[in-house]
Amino acid sequence: MHWHCKKRQSRKLYNMSGLGYLIKEGFHSIWNNKIMSIASIGVLFSCLILTGAAAMLSVNVSQAVENVGESNVTTVYLKNEVSSLQAVSVMRDIEKIDNVAGCEFYSKEDAIASFKGELDSVYEYMQGDANPLPNAIKVTMADLAKYDDTIKEIMKIEETDSYSNAGEVAKTLTRISSLIGNMSFWIILVLSIISLFIISNTIRATMYSRRYEISIMKSVGATNTFVRIPFIVEGMFIGLVSAVLSILGLMLLYNILMDLVQSTIPFDAIPFGSVAGVISLCFIVAGVGIGTLGALFSIGRYLKKEGNEILGW
Amino acid sequence: MIEFYNVSKVYPSGTHALNGISLSIKTGEFVFIVGASGAGKSTFLKLIMREEEPSGGRIVINGKNLSRIKRREIPYLRREMGIVFQDFRLIDKMNVYDNVAFAMRAVGATADAIKKRVPYILELVGLAHKAKRRPSELSGGEQQRVSLARALVNNPSMIIADEPTGNIDPKMSYEIMKLLNAINEQGTTVIVVTHEHELVNSFPGRVIEINQGKILRDSY
Ligand SMILES: Nc1ncnc2c1ncn2[C@@H]1O[C@H](COP(=O)(O)OP(=O)(O)OP(=O)(O)O)[C@@H](O)[C@H]1O
Ligand SMILES: [Mg+2]
């Protein structure tokens, strides 16, 4: 019996290469704790899908704003009897108004020309004197916040008749988009907290089911870092699975929804592919982050209380 | 080397478990700790392992003052000790081999080191042929030998056993003590808490008797 002569040598062999073992332990935990793991994945999945849906909605709305947009250009229509020549002097007057950054004449001929190709019969029928459209001026404003006042000033000019409310639509859409932004911030916050809570509980459950092993590990001199690793692996993996599932789920959901919407209202939806990279990255970072954080919370509490001592005696 | 200087322990409940204990256990000694139930024997061991901290006095182990060491140093202190429990503390979902290997994995040993060391230690406690069995398929004496193997596998400088024979029959108890004695002969310090006077009398060693938290007797 000469086990002591090996002492120095075997000491040197201790290092962190047990990492593979610890990672395997993490996966074992997930498997042994299937129901809780599935619940965690479900909650985190729902959280990410909702977040993603809000993001996609937001992106589409701001795209729509841009389309409607050139949003600070307002078309001011002149009265029917106002000729092109008179229009030029009206344009000068408008240019003098505060907050008007620029004007562009948009003649009735230009207006009717826009029907060409799309509505050729109308275009042909309404040439020359038959053109019922008014002359107009495209006004660019410097600051949209002063939109209402500026419009009021413009409408004071006698020759003006009406104005297109593209700016109004843009304003409404912008308001909706920021409302969505605000709401999603809170939804995301609440859901993240819930996910964090569920994941940390799942991992706490694993920890309690393995308290006996942990106490043995601690009694033979395992460091807290070492005890932590399998649980962190568990949290990260739950986060990763949730992220991957929700990326696929969101893609499916988005494509189905957009097909549905586009069959009723024609509009240019942003293709999922164009944002897939960013969304995937965000989801994976968020999922793995929440999973890891949840694990760290529960381990921190456990090791501070029960796990620091060797259980029972 | 374990040194106690006027160590006392009062539990939060108000129980005075130890009252001014001073002693020194040298490397390579074989020490029995005896005393009535509630005398403070387990408390003495818990202080050595730093599972509990003393309320007064100073404990020095292998030159390290336990009141001064940082929390993250505790695991390394414990690697100096092999601990044996009365109730074996084996994990039944693992076989005998894995129960012993587990202690090496827990301190980050390489797969290579584990493969070399575990069979060697199992051979040592005479259980190489039962490596693939579950602990529940073994007798009490065999289970305690597995637990002893686990305590030894990380090459500690001392073995600390709290009533290691408390749950096994006299014949097996004798075998366990013989094993502990053999380990001691190789230079490992062995500290055994026991109730069994016959065992104490059958083996040479220092006997420290604790009574109501004080040392009543300390003799060879
Ligand atoms: N964690 C604790 N909290 C409060 N009191 C404790 C604690 N552990 C032990 N005690 C008390 O301290 C005293 C000494 O206990 P200890 O476990 O050291 O005795 P022991 O000599 O090991 O007894 P036994 O032979 O029954 O194992 C007892 O009165 C016990 O009730
Ligand atoms: Mg005791």
Side-chain angles (χ1 to χ4, degrees):
Chain A
M1 297 206 265
H2 294 291
W3 55 93
H4 263 275
C5 54
K6 288 200 169 179
K7 194 163 195 154
R8 295 282 147 248
Q9 188 195 348
S10 63
R11 276 285 144 86
K12 248 184 250 158
L13 293 173
Y14 294 151
N15 56 27
M16 285 299 289
S17 72
L19 205 64
Y21 164 76
L22 293 175
I23 291 170
K24 228 168 54 192
E25 282 299 292
F27 287 107
H28 274 298
S29 294
I30 295 170
W31 184 247
N32 292 334
N33 218 351
K34 285 179 281 281
I35 294 174
M36 285 292 274
S37 303
I38 290 169
S40 305
I41 290 171
V43 172
L44 192 50
F45 171 81
S46 322
C47 173
L48 288 171
I49 283 271
L50 272 164
T51 308
M56 292 309 291
L57 190 60
S58 193
V59 170
N60 271 298
V61 168
S62 56
Q63 163 91 2
V65 169
E66 247 168 63
N67 287 348
V68 172
E70 300 156 295
S71 49
N72 52 353
V73 176
T74 307
T75 310
V76 174
Y77 298 103
L78 305 176
K79 287 184 176 140
N80 257 333
E81 64 270 18
V82 177
S83 69
S84 299
L85 221 63
Q86 284 169 302
V88 175
S89 88
V90 173
M91 211 163 86
R92 296 242 170 76
D93 290 340
I94 291 177
E95 269 171 348
K96 280 181 207 144
I97 294 170
D98 208 28
N99 192 38
V100 172
C103 288
E104 196 189 330
F105 181 54
Y106 188 61
S107 69
K108 54 165 96 182
E109 286 76 26
D110 289 339
I112 202 75
S114 72
F115 287 109
K116 194 180 174 186
E118 277 180 46
L119 286 163
D120 278 330
S121 58
V122 175
Y123 174 69
E124 246 134 70
Y125 183 70
M126 292 182 170
Q127 287 303 309
D129 286 344
N131 186 346
L133 299 174
N135 284 317
I137 295 166
K138 288 195 165 182
V139 178
T140 310
M141 292 188 199
D143 182 4
L144 264 186
K146 294 181 193 156
Y147 180 86
D148 290 338
D149 286 341
T150 314
I151 279 291
K152 219 186 273 165
E153 283 299 310
I154 293 171
M155 295 318 282
K156 274 186 196 156
I157 297 168
E158 212 181 304
E159 289 87 349
T160 60
D161 181 46
S162 62
Y163 59 94
S164 79
N165 52 2
E168 295 277 296
V169 173
K171 263 167 71 181
T172 312
L173 281 175
T174 310
R175 232 179 285 136
I176 290 171
S177 139
S178 78
L179 192 71
I180 293 169
N182 276 334
M183 262 170 38
S184 12
F185 173 78
W186 291 108
I187 293 173
I188 290 164
L189 193 73
V190 168
L191 288 174
S192 314
I193 291 170
I194 294 174
S195 310
L196 211 57
F197 181 77
I198 301 262
I199 288 182
S200 76
N201 268 305
T202 303
I203 289 169
R204 179 115 31 96
T206 321
M207 221 149 4
Y208 274 95
S209 72
R210 298 181 57 190
R211 64 205 292 172
Y212 191 61
E213 281 158 64
I214 294 174
S215 79
I216 293 169
M217 286 173 86
K218 301 280 298 179
S219 78
V220 298
T223 58
N224 280 349
T225 312
F226 210 80
V227 174
R228 264 184 205 122
I229 291 172
F231 301 106
I232 293 175
V233 168
E234 186 183 350
M236 281 170 76
F237 187 73
I238 286 175
L240 189 67
V241 169
S242 310
V244 170
L245 287 179
S246 32
I247 292 163
L248 297 175
L250 186 66
M251 187 170 75
L252 209 70
L253 190 75
Y254 183 76
N255 287 339
I256 291 173
L257 266 174
M258 284 305 144
D259 278 353
L260 255 162
V261 172
Q262 277 171 325
S263 66
T264 18
I265 323 163
F267 92 104
D268 279 334
I270 290 174
F272 190 80
S274 71
V275 286
V278 182
I279 292 223
S280 301
L281 190 73
C282 290
F283 274 23
I284 287 169
V285 168
V288 172
I290 289 178
T292 310
L293 213 60
L296 285 175
F297 275 168
S298 47
I299 306 165
R301 258 201 280 174
Y302 183 87
L303 287 180
K304 242 195 204 127
K305 289 201 287 178
E306 298 84 352
N308 191 41
E309 293 174 9
I310 296 154
L311 299 178
W313 182 268
Chain B
M1 181 90 160
I2 298 168
E3 295 154 283
F4 273 54
Y5 299 98
N6 199 23
V7 173
S8 53
K9 175 68 189 175
V10 184
Y11 281 109
S13 62
T15 310
H16 288 255
L18 291 179
N19 298 309
I21 296 249
S22 290
L23 59 75
S24 147
I25 296 171
K26 289 185 192 64
T27 305
E29 274 196 88
F30 193 110
V31 182
F32 285 110
I33 310 282
V34 297
S37 182
K41 305 181 297 292
S42 296
T43 303
F44 176 71
L45 298 189
K46 283 181 190 175
L47 288 173
I48 293 175
M49 293 171 55
R50 208 177 185 278
E51 188 180 338
E52 294 285 353
E53 286 184 78
S55 323
R58 188 155 52 98
I59 301 170
V60 181
I61 291 176
N62 293 341
K64 276 176 232 124
N65 185 340
L66 294 204
S67 324
R68 295 257 178 80
I69 67 168
K70 296 187 187 72
R71 250 185 78 148
R72 62 182 157 75
E73 292 176 279
I74 297 173
Y76 300 95
L77 172 80
R78 290 192 181 146
R79 290 179 197 186
E80 298 283 314
M81 320 171 171
I83 299 155
V84 177
F85 303 95
Q86 174 174 359
D87 57 0
F88 322 132
R89 306 247 162 158
L90 300 172
I91 301 165
D92 203 52
K93 66 178 188 205
M94 295 182 187
N95 63 27
V96 166
Y97 180 97
D98 285 327
N99 263 282
V100 177
F102 180 70
M104 285 186 82
R105 291 187 183 120
V107 298
T110 62
D112 239 24
I114 293 170
K115 235 182 271 165
K116 274 188 209 140
R117 179 80 177 160
V118 176
Y120 174 76
I121 291 290
L122 284 177
E123 187 70 48
L124 196 77
V125 299
L127 282 176
H129 60 296
K130 302 220 163 153
K132 292 275 170 273
R133 297 285 186 84
R134 297 250 163 155
S136 56
E137 298 168 334
L138 304 180
S139 74
E142 286 168 331
Q143 289 186 54
Q144 194 59 299
R145 278 191 274 159
V146 177
S147 135
L148 192 55
R150 185 180 63 195
L152 283 170
V153 80
N154 285 334
N155 238 329
S157 67
M158 59 185 89
I159 291 284
I160 294 168
D162 196 356
E163 305 201 25
T165 59
N167 280 348
I168 50 188
D169 64 55
K171 194 166 149 266
M172 280 299 184
S173 298
Y174 193 80
E175 295 298 316
I176 293 287
M177 289 308 297
K178 264 196 353 203
L179 210 46
L180 284 170
N181 210 49
I183 291 160
N184 175 249
E185 269 162 23
Q186 297 296 319
T188 307
T189 310
V190 175
I191 302 173
V192 182
V193 165
T194 184
H195 272 128
E196 289 158 78
H197 289 286
E198 268 175 55
L199 282 181
V200 176
N201 295 333
S202 322
F203 290 90
R206 177 177 169 187
V207 181
I208 298 172
E209 185 172 351
I210 298 179
N211 186 32
Q212 298 191 336
K214 288 201 170 80
I215 296 178
L216 189 69
R217 179 169 71 107
D218 187 347
S219 60
Y220 289 87

